[in-house]
Structure formats: C-alpha cells, structure tokens
Amino acid sequence: MYQYNTTTPIGYLKGVGPKKAELLENELNIRTIGDLIHHYPYRYIDKKKVVQINQLNAHSGWVLIKGTLSTIKTIGQHRKKRLSAQLKDSSGKVELLWFRSAVWIEKTLQNGTLYEVYGKINGFNGSLSIAHPEMTIYDPKKKTKSILPKYNSTEKLNQRSLSSNFLFKHIKTALDTVGATIPETLPAALRKKYALSSRREALHAIHLSDDFARIQNARTSLKFEELFYTQIKILRTKATKEKSKGFVFDKIGAHFHSFFNTQLEFELTGAQKRVVKEIRSDLKKGMQMNRLLQGDVGSGKTIVALLSILMALDNQYQAAIMAPTEILAKQHYASFSKIFEALGIQVCFLSGSTKTKERKAFSKGLAEGEISVIVGTHALLEESVEFKNLGLVVIDEQHKFGVAQRAKLWKKNPKGLPHILVMTATPIPRTLAMTLYGDLDISVIDQMPAGRKPVKTQHYFEKSRLKLFGELKAHLAQNRQIYIVYPLIEESKTLDYQNLMDGYDTLLRVFPLPEYKMSILHGRMKPAEKEFEMARFVKADTQIMVSTTVIEVGVNVPNASVMVIENAEKFGLSQLHQLRGRVGRGSAQSYCYLMSSYKLSENAKKRLSTMCETNDGFKIAEQDLKLRGPGDLMGTKQSGVLDFKLASLIEDEELVMQTREAAQKVLEHNLLEREDFHMVKANILKDKQSLSWSRIS
Ligand code: ADP
Ligand code: MG
C-alpha cells in the first residue's frame, strides 16, 4: 500500500484531485502535502468574540459579527458597479460591499438567513461598511472550533471553492493523513532549553488548536526552526571564509601621511576614525578582508575608502574602486585624481564608453604597474583588465551590483585574494545585518560630520504647486541650487519620460531663461551628454537640475540644498531617503519637498509622514522593513535567503539573538557530530542552497 508522507504530491490528498492541485501549485506554490501543512494561518478569528453591530466604529479593525442578511442589491453604474447588502442584529445594521465578482457572489448569498460575517471595518464618510467579508451561514447545531484560522487565498482560489475555510479543511485532512510521519528538526536538548514544542505538535497546534497560548508556542517553535537553520548555515560559511589568506599591508607609509597631514581639510569624525582603525587592523592580519561599511548618506564613507586605498598603495599594491553608475564613478575619479595627482600617483578611469585605444593603454599601465589606481563602473570586471598586483577593491553602493560580478573581482590577482571593502548607504538594523551579511564583517559610521543641519522636509499636494514655485524662487535668490526629481519605473519607461518632459516644459515657463538656467538628466541621454550637464550643475552654471532617479546614488554637490521629489508616493522609503541625501551636504539649511497626488494608499501616507518626521537612516530603514517586509531588500528576494514563512528579522529580534547563540554553541562544541544532532546535519547537507549563501555579499 502507498505510504503517504509530506513529500507526496498534493493531488493525491483525499478531496483535492488534479484540478485543484494545479490551482494550488500555480496560485500558492503548494506542490506537496508538506507544502500545504506549511501554509500557515495569517490570522485567527476568536469565535467567542462576536461583536454587537452598534459597538462597531471606524477603528474596530477585523471583527466577527452575527446577523441576518437583507436588501441584497446592485448599486452604481458600469465600472463603479458593486454589490451591497445589509447585515442586521438586535443592536443595529451594517453595510456589506463587494466590488469584484459581484454576479457570482450575488448567486451565493441567501436573503433572510443568519450569517457569521468576518471582515475589516471601513469608516469612510462616517458610515460603516465591510468590503468583501467572509460569509458563513450560521448553524447552531454544527460544532465548530472556537478559534478559526484564516489562510491567505487568492481570488481565483476563492472562486474555485478554495477559500480559507476549504484550505483549512484540506490542511486538516493532510495532518490526519501524514501527521504521524512529520520528521523532527530540532534536537530534544534544544527544544528543552528554549521551551519549544516538537515539530509535530507545533504544526498541529498552529492549524488546529483552540488555545491561543499553544498557538503562540507553536509559532515560536516554528520560527525558531527557521532562524536556527539560517544561523547555522551562515556561521558555517563564515567559518570557511575566515580561512582565506590575504595580503599583509603592515606599513602606514608616505602617501597616507602626506595626504593626512597636508591635504585632508577636515577632522575625521569619531566614527570615521574608528572605522579606519578597524580596516587597518584587518589589512595587516594576513586574512582576506571582507568588510561591509555601512553609513548613512553624507556620513563620509568616501574618505574612508580613500584612506584605505592609500594604505594599499603604501604597501606596493594596486587598488580599484567601482561604482554603480558612470556619473558616480566619474565623480569619484574627479575628486580622487586631484588628490592622487598631488601625491604623484597614477590613476585612470574606465567605463563602458572608454575608447578602445585608451582602454588598451590603461590595461598595459595596470599590468605593468605604472598605474596604481583604477576608478570605474562594472567595466572594471572585464577580463581584459589585468593588474600587476591588485590588493584592494572598494565597491561603492553595493546593492546595485550583482553577486556574480563581485566574485569576478576576486580573480584579478593570481597571487591571492584582494581585500574587499563594500560600502553601502542603506542602513540595516543589527539583527538583519547579522543575518544578511553573516559572512562579512561590519563597520558602521553612525555619526554625521559636525555642523550638518537636518533637512527640513514637507509634503505638498498638487494644489500647493504655486506656493512651491514661490519658495523655490526664494531659494534661488539665495544662490542655492535645486534638484527636481521625477520617478523612473522600469515597467513604464515611456510614460516616465513623458512625465519628465512635461514637467520640464512647465518648469521652463516658471523659471525662464536668461534669469534661470536649468540642466536636465535622464536615461535616454548619451554618457557624454549626461556628464556635460552634470558638470554644468557642479560648476553652478545651472541652478536647477531636473532629472530622473539617475541622481539617486552618491552624487555630491554641496551647494545644492533644495530637493523636490515629484510623485513622491511612487518611491519606496529607502529610495526617498537616498534622494534626500543629495541635499544637506553643505552648511546651509536644506529643504526637501515631497510632491504627491491626492490619492494615497495607507502605506504611501506612512512613507511620506515618516520622511517628514525623521532624517535618521536607521529609523527610516526600520520603518521601511516594517512596511515592505525584509523580503525584497537588496535583491534578497530571488536568493530566498530571507524568505521566512513566520519569522521576522525585525519583530523577532530576541529569537534571532537566541538562535544565533544556539547555533554558535552547536558549532563551537562540534555538536553536529553528536547522534542527537544528526538530523540537523542531514538537513543542512540536504539543502543544496546552502552554498549560495556565501554569495550574498
Ligand atoms: P557618503 O557617505 O554619502 O558617500 P561622502 O563621502 O560623499 O558621503 O561625504 C559627504 C560630504 O561630507 C563630502 O562633501 C565630504 O567631503 C564631507 N565630509 C566627509 N567627512 C567629513 C568630516 N569628518 N568633516 C566634515 N566634512 C566631511
Ligand atoms: Mg558616497
């Protein structure tokens, strides 16, 4: 007889069949019985808490109510057509609404019948309603659970009778069928120490329990498992990484001293000094440095990179600095070459648009050691670029670079692995950084250079546009420069371009020549044109820079102290923060105007208000993670690294720390070899993905 287990295809489960199986796979990525069991509830309804309709208000949130259905009717015309009904209990009545699938839903509703209704209260214009509620005919004879789990479903599934309730039924069947075969994943010793349930118990309770305390413990246990395995994998890769030998830079030499004593115009902040020390100590250890340098926009990461490069040069090694865009790379080149020239150091610039002849000359210079530093875009990765003795690679704004690209850099010196310094302006909360960059060491610049004033940020609706223009003129009268940024969304490049051009036309009328001079920058321009416009703005030949988000990364024009972000609601929080970071770099008070339309989602409102409330990159990053979930941070989505089903690196901070500690102990004491930990070892080996872990950064 066929033995069912968690790997059995879902189509074999009683009551599912091939059609539903296909739907489950396509809509929810559920392929096996085990996948179904791991489709966890996202919410629970407490059936004991039925709310009286007259007790409802706009802030009631998700509620369960019980009443008789009446007055089912279609209202509105054409595209605004929707289905409406009343639900009445002894205390009052409330409106139920359906905007989609109205025809189909109308057929299923029974007038005059007693229903249990579950949904979220809306309180628009003072009248209360529930949109797309869950409807269950109330049957007092039927014995039901007192806690009803709710599952994510999709519209398509709902229409094919795979609503939350049906999913629940199938999950119950699945647990009955294969529950006893569910393997344990955490050794008893760990479960005891952290008061966790067995996996079988936990999976049972999370779906079927009628006791909130048990559900809570089940969730904690399952989260623990997710996080524990992640930590073990990270720590293991870290352990193998640390064995890589690296070049020893033990001298602080003439270049470093000369720059530090004669060219450096400001005193380093305490945080910069600390980070430079950390890097210095890495570079002389004899191990390859793999360090992530985190620092908010404007915190002064470039100078740290420069000092690190000088350390490499003083030890007769070459250095490369790579930036994600041509503009940014050019900017680094411009500021570095001035400094390097004074020190008698040869530096070259390479990008996609470098001419072949020049390219050849650079390659020769680098291979022979004439040229010590190369600055450029990902063109640096090309095979034709060879070095005599590459010792350090600095990667600016790392999130724009792919993982595979970075690996190429490691091969640029046949004598060994160059040291790597990755710089990012995306501040990440500690628990997240630990997990995401487990195999990198982390340095943080958590202090701004003295004298910086926080950028004053305001949110304006379209109706305040005239006021905005007035204020911009006042800023221009003070000789300030202004950025005006338009969104660029990959899917609709043509539309965005149109949007930018329309905006530009309006601005030309409001800020006419010859009094005002404007630059424009967008993705359709040739690199040389972009550079020309950028240079005009840097020299203050133009006062206004109208652009798409190409301006986002790293651009540094200290006199530009005003930023206008058009359609600000279309940007994510971290992008808004990056954009705003272009201003506030000089000593003048800086301003940021967030322009938006009236139609704002709750999420967009929250983003804009967060921007108005704070300049703190860490606070913004945390809020961002709360709004988006960490899943899509820096392309981690595809990698699957942070694809936890239950755990959250932000909200479960304590569990993250606990699992880290547990994983550390396991590895330190070599527990994976102990018999009761064999399942852990087996699971790690089974997970082929574990190798790709180390490639995240
Ligand atoms: P980011 O970290 O965003 O790359 P930058 O390195 O571009 O920031 O630095 C922003 C600005 O601050 C630059 O104009 C830089 O010269 C200046 N700066 C950096 N460190 C200091 C400091 N310790 N004191 C004063 N100004 C500084
Ligand atoms: Mg920078």
Side-chain angles (χ1 to χ4, degrees):
M1 205 183 94
Y2 181 72
Q3 181 69 54
Y4 283 83
N5 62 39
T6 49
T7 63
T8 306
I10 189 69
Y12 290 88
L13 188 69
K14 194 170 152 239
V16 175
K19 280 230 176 83
K20 277 190 188 170
E22 197 187 321
L23 264 175
L24 284 171
E25 166 150 12
N26 292 341
E27 298 284 302
L28 296 174
N29 208 14
I30 291 174
R31 279 179 216 141
T32 63
I33 296 182
D35 290 343
L36 183 64
I37 291 175
H38 287 98
H39 188 63
Y40 301 131
Y42 70 93
R43 179 194 305 283
Y44 296 87
I45 305 177
D46 189 345
K47 291 274 221 174
K48 281 174 279 190
K49 279 197 193 141
V50 177
V51 182
Q52 292 273 303
I53 289 177
N54 69 352
Q55 300 297 308
L56 296 174
N57 64 52
H59 308 288
S60 298
W62 291 88
V63 292
L64 181 69
I65 51 183
K66 200 181 335 177
T68 309
L69 197 68
S70 68
T71 352
I72 306 169
K73 61 178 185 225
T74 311
I75 51 177
Q77 297 272 315
H78 306 295
R79 291 178 59 196
K80 290 202 168 155
K81 211 161 164 177
R82 60 217 148 122
L83 184 66
S84 153
Q86 301 278 347
L87 193 81
K88 209 171 141 210
D89 69 5
S90 59
S91 74
K93 57 187 178 191
V94 65
E95 187 178 21
L96 308 177
L97 285 169
W98 291 267
F99 303 100
R100 298 176 307 262
S101 320
V103 179
W104 178 76
I105 287 165
E106 190 169 4
K107 277 189 217 149
T108 67
L109 295 177
Q110 300 179 14
N111 206 10
T113 302
L114 194 57
Y115 275 91
E116 265 183 344
V117 174
Y118 180 72
K120 193 179 176 196
I121 296 292
N122 287 323
F124 287 127
N125 322 323
S127 75
L128 300 179
S129 65
I130 303 179
H132 288 264
E134 289 221 8
M135 311 285 297
T136 319
I137 293 176
Y138 179 69
D139 180 356
K141 275 176 288 177
K142 209 167 120 195
K143 265 188 70 181
T144 53
K145 284 165 56 48
S146 68
I147 296 176
L148 197 65
K150 284 280 135 199
Y151 298 90
N152 270 323
S153 188
T154 65
E155 211 172 319
K156 228 181 189 161
L157 290 176
N158 273 326
Q159 289 183 13
R160 314 284 164 83
S161 310
L162 275 168
S163 63
S164 171
N165 287 346
F166 276 91
L167 283 170
F168 173 63
K169 252 179 62 181
H170 291 310
I171 289 170
K172 223 169 131 202
T173 314
L175 283 166
D176 288 344
T177 316
V178 305
T181 74
I182 294 172
E184 190 49 69
T185 46
L186 293 173
L190 280 181
R191 279 186 275 133
K192 184 153 177 250
K193 172 152 190 214
Y194 294 99
L196 308 171
S197 336
S198 79
R199 191 141 179 273
R200 239 168 260 173
E201 271 167 17
L203 288 171
H204 224 265
I206 200 167
H207 295 293
L208 305 179
S209 177
D210 262 339
D211 174 352
F212 275 116
R214 288 196 54 202
I215 291 174
Q216 197 50 44
N217 183 264
R219 289 174 57 86
T220 305
S221 305
L222 294 166
K223 284 179 186 178
F224 191 99
E225 179 199 305
E226 290 178 345
L227 293 168
F228 173 73
Y229 273 88
T230 307
Q231 299 293 359
I232 288 262
K233 284 179 208 158
I234 289 170
L235 291 173
R236 274 165 58 101
T237 10
K238 190 170 183 182
T240 46
K241 266 274 175 62
E242 274 171 359
K243 291 191 197 108
S244 313
K245 277 221 171 67
F247 305 124
V248 180
F249 299 176
D250 53 3
K251 280 201 296 267
I252 287 284
H255 290 323
F256 190 100
H257 285 304
S258 161
F259 170 76
F260 206 87
N261 297 331
T262 63
Q263 282 186 280
L264 185 59
E265 286 161 359
F266 42 75
E267 165 94 19
L268 295 182
T269 62
Q272 284 170 323
K273 285 183 192 160
R274 189 186 67 236
V275 169
V276 170
K277 270 191 205 143
E278 285 166 353
I279 291 172
R280 161 122 175 84
S281 121
D282 278 1
L283 294 178
K284 59 182 180 185
K285 251 192 220 150
M287 301 292 175
Q288 185 205 15
M289 171 171 83
N290 264 298
R291 189 167 280 281
L292 177 75
L293 173 55
Q294 265 192 54
D296 210 345
V297 271
S299 62
K301 295 184 289 296
T302 316
I303 193 75
V304 173
L306 179 74
L307 292 171
S308 313
I309 290 172
L310 294 176
M311 290 183 212
L313 302 186
D314 278 339
N315 287 274
Q316 279 69 55
Y317 285 90
Q318 291 165 302
I321 174 157
M322 187 160 79
T325 65
E326 174 130 10
I327 292 183
L328 186 55
K330 255 277 146 73
Q331 189 177 286
H332 278 320
Y333 177 70
S335 52
F336 284 177
S337 54
K338 239 185 275 161
I339 294 163
F340 289 144
E341 204 171 298
L343 297 170
I345 298 167
Q346 286 273 355
V347 50
C348 69
F349 176 83
L350 186 75
S351 78
S353 49
T354 307
K355 302 246 162 54
T356 320
K357 202 174 140 199
E358 251 184 314
R359 212 174 259 255
K360 280 196 179 138
F362 293 157
S363 294
K364 188 159 175 280
L366 288 164
E368 289 173 359
E370 298 285 300
I371 302 175
S372 307
V373 182
I374 183 167
V375 183
T377 60
H378 52 268
L380 298 192
L381 299 171
E382 282 162 26
E383 253 158 55
S384 61
V385 182
E386 284 173 37
F387 296 83
K388 186 177 180 208
N389 198 14
L390 180 66
L392 170 73
V393 179
V394 178
I395 303 175
D396 198 8
E397 314 291 353
Q398 59 88 212
H399 57 285
K400 303 275 168 173
F401 279 107
V403 167
Q405 293 181 314
R406 223 168 296 143
K408 282 191 189 168
L409 280 165
W410 295 17
K411 302 194 193 113
K412 291 276 179 195
N413 191 342
K415 281 172 246 155
L417 299 173
H419 296 294
I420 308 274
L421 179 66
V422 177
M423 305 198 292
T424 173
T426 312
I428 321 170
R430 200 182 129 72
T431 43
L432 184 57
M434 262 172 39
T435 308
L436 194 54
Y437 300 111
D439 57 338
L440 289 185
D441 294 306
I442 300 173
S443 291
V444 184
I445 304 185
D446 50 6
Q447 185 182 10
M448 286 288 176
R452 290 282 164 79
K453 298 189 185 80
V455 181
K456 286 193 179 150
T457 304
Q458 277 169 295
H459 171 205
Y460 279 9
F461 287 111
E462 204 44 50
K463 68 164 193 260
S464 307
R465 188 162 286 280
L466 283 182
K467 185 170 162 215
L468 171 79
F469 288 149
E471 289 180 34
L472 295 184
K473 282 188 175 160
H475 293 306
L476 290 169
Q478 309 252 327
N479 286 327
R480 300 283 164 241
Q481 286 170 278
I482 300 177
Y483 293 108
I484 302 181
V485 179
Y486 285 82
L488 186 140
I489 303 164
E490 289 301 316
E491 302 93 73
S492 62
K493 274 187 181 142
T494 350
L495 234 164
D496 288 330
Y497 180 72
Q498 197 50 49
N499 203 6
L500 173 77
M501 285 307 164
D502 291 349
Y504 186 63
D505 279 348
T506 310
L507 290 166
L508 277 175
R509 267 175 269 132
V510 181
F511 302 100
L513 282 161
E515 194 182 352
Y516 300 102
K517 294 190 193 71
M518 241 185 290
S519 281
I520 184 163
L521 208 62
H522 58 77
R524 293 191 177 188
M525 288 160 67
K526 297 211 176 71
E529 285 178 85
K530 282 191 211 167
E531 213 175 282
F532 177 74
E533 283 305 325
M534 196 63 217
R536 290 209 307 155
F537 189 65
V538 172
K539 279 187 287 182
D541 287 349
T542 56
Q543 302 110 312
I544 304 176
M545 167 61 82
V546 183
S547 85
T548 55
T549 43
V550 284
I551 211 78
E552 177 190 353
V553 182
V555 172
N556 188 22
V557 182
N559 189 50
S561 60
V562 181
M563 159 96 25
V564 180
I565 304 177
E566 296 286 348
N567 298 109
E569 75 274 18
K570 291 195 183 171
F571 292 93
L573 251 182
S574 69
Q575 211 182 3
L576 288 172
H577 180 61
Q578 288 278 327
L579 282 170
R580 182 172 60 183
R582 298 307 113 217
V583 298
R585 299 185 152 237
S587 50
Q589 174 62 52
S590 291
Y591 299 87
C592 176
Y593 299 93
L594 305 172
M595 303 301 294
S596 88
S597 65
Y598 291 97
K599 267 197 194 158
L600 292 178
S601 67
E602 280 306 309
N603 205 308
K605 271 185 212 159
K606 190 80 205 163
R607 290 199 298 272
L608 298 182
S609 66
T610 303
M611 286 297 292
C612 294
E613 278 156 27
T614 182
N615 276 278
D616 181 332
F618 275 89
K619 282 206 186 115
I620 289 173
E622 259 184 56
Q623 184 62 41
D624 192 28
L625 286 163
K626 277 191 190 143
L627 292 175
R628 288 192 311 164
D632 41 298
L633 195 80
M634 293 175 219
T636 51
K637 200 147 213 166
Q638 311 97 299
S639 69
V641 175
L642 298 177
D643 244 356
F644 299 122
K645 283 203 151 90
L646 288 174
S648 150
L649 291 170
I650 305 304
E651 266 130 50
D652 299 315
E653 187 162 350
E654 203 186 320
L655 267 179
V656 174
M657 302 312 264
Q658 277 181 0
T659 51
R660 177 116 179 146
E661 179 196 276
Q664 255 156 358
K665 281 235 171 82
V666 167
L667 296 179
E668 241 166 61
H669 301 287
N670 217 8
L671 295 183
L672 290 183
E673 301 309 321
R674 219 168 74 180
E675 181 146 9
D676 58 334
F677 278 78
H678 271 178
M679 75 206 13
V680 178
K681 192 174 172 186
N683 283 330
I684 296 168
L685 294 178
K686 208 167 59 191
D687 189 357
K688 291 206 187 74
Q689 286 198 319
S690 63
L691 268 180
S692 60
W693 278 87
S694 57
R695 300 282 163 254
I696 283 299
S697 269

